[in-house]
Amino acid sequence: MKIISVVGARPQFIKAAMVSSALREHPELTEVLIHTGQHYDRNMSQVFLDELRLPEPAYNLRIGSGDHGSQTGRMMEAIEDVLVNEGPDWVLVYGDTNSTLAGALAACKLGIPVAHIEAGVRSFDRRMPEEINRVVTDHVSDLLLAPTAVAVENLRREGISGKSVRIVGDVMYDAVLHFGCRAESDNDILQRLGLERGKYILFTLHRAENTDDVERFELVMDAVQQISKSVTVVFPVHPRTRNAFGQSHLQYLDKRHLLLLEPVSYIEMLRLERNARVIATDSGGVQKEAFFYQVPCVTLREQTEWVELVEMGWNRLAPPLDVESIVSAVQQSFGRTGDTARQPYGNGRAAQQIVKAILEPRALGQLSQQAVEPGTDRASLVA
C-alpha cells in the first residue's frame, strides 16, 4: 500500500516524524513524502527534517510564501501532478495549514482517500485562515483521526460521525515523549543563553492577526518589554514576526532582559519550554507542549482550539487588546498549576493508532462513496 504524506510547515514535520516512524514498522506500507515548501527558511524547514530524522522528501515543491489563494492554488496544482504520477492508495494530511488544505483538495478531486490527522479541532473563529482549512479538510476527508474527545464531539455537531471518525490521541504528545530525553541530555541552549530553570518567560508570536497589524504588534511588544523589566523574556523570532519588526517602530526596545533569537530547533524549543517559568504564545502547538511539561501558559488570542487546557487551568486567554491585560495575565500565571489528573491527549501512541486505522480492511474504499479501489490508475481519473 502506498501512502503519500503532505507536509510543509514546522509543526507538520514534528507530527510526520512520529507517523513516518510508525509506518516504517510495516513493510507492506510505502510512504512518499511531499514537502510543499510552505516553510522554506532553513531554520523552519531543513533543520527540522535533519533533527527529527525524517526521510528526505521525495518531492520538494518549493512553493514558498504568498497570498492564501495563490499559495494554495499553486500547491494544489503541483500536488495533483505528483498524485497522478505516484497513484497512492491514501493521502495523509496534517493539521490546519494551506498545505493541509491543498493536499486534501487535490486528493479528493482525484478520488483518492484522504486521512486527516488532527481532525475535529476547532477555535470557532472563522476569521482565522487555519479554521477554514480545518473545516474544509474535515468535510472532504475519508478518515478523520481526532486527537481528543472534544474534537470528536465537534465533528459530530457538524454531521460527521461513525466509522470514518477515530480518536487516536495527539501525535505531538508522542513527539514530546520521544524527543524529550534528547532535549535534556543533548542540548545546552540554557547554558549558551545564560538561563536558569524557572527564571525566564518563553514568548512566541507568529499568527497573522498579531504580526500583520502594526498597532496590535507594537501593543504586544510593549507588554513584552514591560514584562522583561522584572523577568528575562526569551523570544525566538519567527520569519513572519521578523518582517513585522521591519514595519514597526521598535528600535527603542531595551534588550537587556529580552533575548531575541533566530528560530530554534525542535529539541532546543522543548528544552526552553520545559524549563520556563511561564510560556506566552499564540501558537496552538506550544500551548499543548506547555501542558505536557506542566508549565503555565498564556495564549495571546481571543479563542483557542485547545479549550480543554483552559478548562483544566493550565492555559489562560489574554486577547492582545491592551498592554495591562497581557502583563497581568502573565504575572498571575507565576506559580499557577492546573488539573494534573486528566490527560486528554492519549497515551503517547497516537502514531501507532493512526497506522492501525489506515490498515483496517474497511478503511480503504468504504468510508466514502467517492473513494476508489486500491491500484486504480489515478491518471485515468484526470480529464
Side-chain angles (χ1 to χ4, degrees), residues 68-129:
H68 286 287
S70 62
Q71 184 187 60
T72 305
R74 285 183 286 126
M75 286 178 182
M76 284 184 63
E77 182 178 13
I79 292 169
E80 181 178 83
D81 288 343
V82 175
L83 298 184
V84 170
N85 180 56
E86 291 285 347
D89 298 290
W90 279 99
V91 169
L92 204 55
V93 296
Y94 294 80
D96 57 17
T97 71
N98 288 343
S99 298
T100 311
L101 179 62
L105 288 176
C108 77
K109 285 177 177 289
L110 292 174
I112 302 171
V114 177
H116 183 202
I117 294 174
E118 217 171 71
V121 175
R122 297 288 184 271
S123 69
F124 301 102
D125 183 357
R126 293 291 181 94
R127 296 171 299 175
M128 294 175 58

Side-chain angles (χ1 to χ4, degrees), residues 211-231:
T211 61
D212 295 359
D213 181 326
V214 173
E215 182 176 349
R216 184 160 171 153
F217 178 68
E218 291 192 348
L219 181 153
V220 173
M221 291 309 304
D222 283 344
V224 170
Q225 182 75 89
Q226 186 165 327
I227 293 166
S228 72
K229 292 178 180 178
S230 58
V231 59

